[in-house]
Amino acid sequence: MRIIREVACKKDLQAFIDFPHGLHKGDPNYVPELFIAQRDLLTPGKHPFFKHSTIALFLLFDDNELIGRIAAIENFHHNQVYGAKDGFFGFFDCINDLSAARELMDAVHHWLKDRQIRKVLGPVNFSTNEVCGLLIEGFDGPPVAMMPYNPPYYLTLLEALGFIKNVDLRAYRYTAGDYSDRSLQLVDRIKERLLRNDITIRTINMKNFARERDALREVYNKAWDKNMGFVPMTDEEFEYTANDLKLILDPKFCIMAEQHGKIVGFALAIPDINQILIKIKRGRLFPTGLIKLLTGKGKIDGIRIMLLGVVDGYRKMGIEACLYGGIIKRFQEKKMKYAEASWTLDHNDMVNRPIEDIGGKLYRKYRILEKEL
């Protein structure tokens, strides 16, 4: 007998977080999330998302066996920005069984309909500011830091339930020696041209991290304002995320364009911490996970270029190429093996073209789906 129930206690929340470990056991590409990070993310009062929005978490049991999980999300901030009545689903994991997937999605639909929601999109784990998208191409290796992973059958299940494409997201890959030196040489010329407009390229100043963080938040919320589904981060959300990233940040991988003391664009790459997380059983730091994390950090040989944005009025000046070029040059200096640039919108030629010009190869795609309720 199947029963679906909403998460209502710490034990349920632990089961919700741990379910993917058993589901994907034996999959060499599966990377467990850190338990404490997921717990804080999903606990009201811990994550600033809950100050403006709400979620419901559901577990699906077949007799006493857990066979699926899903989150229903009402992002009030998103709906306010877009004047919409959209809902989201996220944290979707399920056995390869259409009826199980339908029961999970029915729980989401009922919860959203009770709130007069007209359309559901996903998978989105809160918003596009967090992990989002369904992997649809490129199942040949583990995901990089803060990118989703799922088996191919997830798309089959969701399309059978009536979901259609909303937008595709791209991931590009650079490997050591597989990028255009000529394009990188052009970056130096572009920098000289930008200097004539008093635009300089520099790295983040960690001694003034709070001030730099606040300046980057303003750029972040402006530079992505026209992207699909983008919702500006609140001050608390940006601070929460920035402080988390600070723990693993190499300052030379956070590069900014500045004019007269004002930040007008930036790019950020982070170490591919998944190289370590894939070795931490069930995402637990104790008893041995913390040691693996501390001793493995210096051995990471890959990065994820996760953010690049330039505010309106400064685009098409070559700043994007300089920011990407600066990241790749640091990548060269550290003799790293690979870099992933992700994600970008499938149709965003202004960002995709500079990535391809420097030698990035499109190697994975993700999809956000939608369905009218």
Side-chain angles (χ1 to χ4, degrees):
M1 179 178 178
R2 287 184 178 173
I3 297 173
I4 194 159
R5 77 165 183 252
E6 187 172 346
V7 168
C9 63
K10 289 183 179 179
K11 184 179 179 181
D12 286 348
L13 181 59
Q14 180 173 323
F16 187 92
I17 295 170
D18 284 343
F19 173 66
H21 306 328
L23 180 67
H24 302 306
K25 186 177 180 180
D27 185 338
N29 296 328
Y30 171 68
V31 180
E33 298 276 7
L34 281 180
F35 177 81
I36 58 172
Q38 289 288 285
R39 181 194 63 199
D40 288 353
L41 180 67
L42 294 168
T43 301
K46 293 278 190 178
H47 194 281
F49 176 84
F50 293 100
K51 292 194 173 182
H52 60 73
S53 296
T54 187
I55 66 171
L57 310 177
F58 297 98
L59 297 168
L60 177 63
F61 294 88
D62 189 350
D63 290 330
N64 292 320
E65 181 184 1
L66 182 57
I67 61 171
R69 71 169 193 172
I70 200 165
I73 303 161
E74 185 175 15
N75 188 329
F76 293 103
H77 198 185
H78 167 94
N79 286 335
Q80 182 181 34
V81 168
Y82 287 93
K85 289 295 291 182
D86 296 337
F88 298 88
F89 75 91
F91 302 92
F92 172 72
D93 286 288
C94 181
I95 63 171
N96 191 2
D97 181 271
L98 181 58
S99 63
R102 181 177 287 111
E103 289 183 63
L104 287 166
M105 204 56 69
D106 282 348
V108 170
H109 292 176
H110 291 315
W111 189 86
L112 293 175
K113 282 182 177 179
D114 285 345
R115 288 157 176 78
Q116 287 75 53
I117 298 297
R118 298 169 186 165
K119 182 169 69 174
V120 59
L121 301 99
V124 174
N125 295 354
F126 289 173
S127 74
T128 56
N129 294 314
E130 286 84 29
V131 177
C132 64
L134 188 77
L135 179 64
I136 61 169
E137 292 180 20
F139 296 89
D140 55 345
V144 301
M146 300 176 67
M147 288 296 286
Y149 175 75
N150 54 266
Y153 71 81
Y154 278 25
L155 179 62
T156 303
L157 292 178
L158 292 170
E159 288 183 334
L161 294 176
F163 280 88
I164 60 173
K165 172 184 170 180
N166 175 274
V167 70
D168 281 353
L169 314 173
R170 295 184 177 192
Y172 289 88
R173 187 175 177 94
Y174 303 89
T175 53
D178 187 23
Y179 41 76
S180 170
D181 284 331
R182 179 178 174 275
S183 294
L184 289 177
Q185 290 165 7
L186 289 174
V187 166
D188 292 329
R189 298 180 198 173
I190 296 171
K191 281 184 180 179
E192 292 175 5
R193 190 176 72 227
L194 291 174
L195 273 174
R196 293 197 287 270
N197 290 310
D198 295 318
I199 298 172
T200 57
I201 307 296
R202 67 173 178 85
T203 57
I204 191 171
N205 183 351
M206 296 298 285
K207 292 181 179 179
N208 293 313
F209 181 78
R211 186 174 65 189
E212 298 274 64
R213 180 194 65 209
D214 292 345
L216 291 176
R217 181 189 67 241
E218 185 176 347
V219 175
Y220 180 81
N221 284 339
K222 287 181 178 178
W224 281 265
D225 61 353
K226 292 183 175 64
N227 272 3
M228 183 284 312
F230 173 75
V231 178
M233 278 191 173
T234 66
D235 292 357
E236 289 174 304
E237 285 175 321
F238 196 89
E239 182 175 345
Y240 183 99
T241 301
N243 289 343
D244 267 0
L245 293 176
K246 183 182 178 184
L247 299 174
I248 59 172
L249 180 66
D250 176 343
K252 291 187 178 180
F253 278 128
C254 185
I255 302 176
M256 296 175 279
E258 185 176 52
Q259 184 184 52
H260 305 143
K262 178 184 176 183
I263 308 300
V264 298
F266 77 98
L268 171 68
I270 59 172
D272 184 11
I273 199 76
N274 279 8
Q275 289 185 13
I276 303 173
L277 297 186
I278 200 170
K279 302 173 185 177
I280 298 179
K281 189 175 181 180
R282 299 177 69 81
R284 298 312 200 269
L285 288 178
F286 299 100
T288 61
L290 184 59
I291 296 172
K292 291 177 181 177
L293 195 60
L294 294 175
T295 58
K297 184 178 174 183
K299 301 174 185 177
I300 295 173
D301 59 8
I303 58 170
R304 177 190 169 203
I305 308 170
M306 65 179 296
L307 293 174
L308 184 143
V310 177
V311 298
D312 198 17
Y314 291 86
R315 295 165 186 163
K316 298 184 179 180
M317 296 175 65
I319 292 175
E320 295 88 350
C322 288
L323 295 174
Y324 262 117
I327 295 287
I328 296 302
K329 283 188 176 183
R330 177 59 173 165
F331 170 85
Q332 289 176 311
E333 291 170 1
K334 295 200 73 173
K335 295 180 169 55
M336 298 188 119
K337 292 183 177 178
Y338 67 87
E340 177 177 301
S342 60
W343 48 264
T344 71
L345 291 169
D346 203 37
H347 56 269
N348 192 345
D349 290 339
M350 193 181 302
V351 170
N352 294 333
R353 193 177 299 114
I355 296 175
E356 294 169 357
D357 287 345
I358 293 176
K361 302 292 191 300
L362 176 62
Y363 85 122
R364 284 181 183 159
K365 278 196 175 185
Y366 302 81
R367 180 165 294 169
I368 293 178
L369 300 153
E370 67 173 59
K371 182 180 179 181
E372 298 291 335
L373 295 182

